[in-house]
Amino acid sequence: MSKLVANVRNTAHRVRAAVPAAPVVPPAPRWAELAAKAAVWTTVPSGVWRIAFGFGVPVGFTGATAARYAEHQPGWGTVYVVVLSALAESLAFLTVGLVRPWGQVAPGWIPLIGGRRVPPLAAIVPAALGSAVLTAMGLLSLFGGWARNMAEPDSPRGFAALVMTLAYLPLVVWGPLLGAVTIDFARRTLRRR
């Protein structure tokens, strides 16, 4: 039994020695941690609204639009909105990796890459692109698409329109929050190179 324990220890030591150590990176400032957490929360209200809509809760659509959605909810429409909401929340949660150690060294439970150092550009490039796309989409929605969609005759009116607007409005700041956290991450991780 003691020989087995010794073999396990030797193997663990060899594995640790084979994994390159991550460079020392200063911790994220408090504002970056708060911005990363806020980015995660920006997707929650629209996800809750979307899932309620997917399960057939009347959210204010009328006429042909309501009829078109009603035939798929509950059903494939429900699956679609749940998956879309989970995907948005998962992507937003990746922002936290820019202020936590698992954004620099992959967690050990991840197959094939667990315990390995994450090259900074492997996080910076997708995060910067995501920030640019999300910021552009937010601005386009805020200054064009939203008003046009709400002008449709079947769109929610009154209180239902207010609820939908309040649910989707936080998404406008997701891109800028991700951008700020990405800039901080780049500043901290690329400084030592």
Side-chain angles (χ1 to χ4, degrees), residues 7 27 32 51 57 60 72 76 92 116 119-120 123 125 135 145 159 166 173-174 178 185:
N7 284 340
I51 290 170
V57 173
H72 301 293
W76 283 109
R116 292 189 182 184
V125 171
T135 300
F159 183 71
L166 291 176
V173 296
W174 181 12
L178 174 58
F185 180 78

Side-chain angles (χ1 to χ4, degrees), residues 10-176:
N10 287 338
T11 303
H13 177 71
R14 277 184 272 144
V15 168
R16 277 194 300 269
V19 175
V24 176
V25 175
R30 178 103 171 110
W31 70 262
E33 289 189 23
L34 292 173
K37 290 175 185 175
V40 173
W41 284 101
T42 61
T43 60
V44 172
S46 61
V48 170
W49 184 92
R50 200 179 302 114
I51 290 170
F53 177 55
F55 278 98
V57 173
V59 292
F61 286 106
T62 59
T65 303
R68 184 176 67 234
Y69 289 127
E71 63 187 69
H72 301 293
Q73 298 166 332
W76 283 109
T78 306
V79 172
Y80 171 74
V81 296
V82 169
V83 168
L84 180 62
S85 298
L87 178 64
E89 191 60 37
S90 298
L91 290 172
F93 184 72
L94 289 176
T95 308
V96 176
L98 299 174
V99 296
R100 294 281 184 254
W102 57 266
Q104 298 165 33
V105 177
W109 56 267
I110 298 178
L112 302 176
I113 64 166
R116 292 189 182 184
R117 186 176 160 278
V118 176
L121 290 178
I124 294 167
V125 171
L129 290 174
S131 172
V133 168
L134 290 168
T135 300
M137 287 173 56
L139 290 172
L140 289 173
S141 294
L142 192 61
F143 295 113
W146 190 255
R148 188 172 43 254
N149 289 342
M150 293 308 281
E152 294 288 324
D154 295 345
S155 291
R157 301 278 177 247
F159 183 71
L162 176 65
V163 169
M164 187 168 96
T165 300
L166 291 176
Y168 278 88
L169 195 57
L171 290 176
V172 173
V173 296
W174 181 12

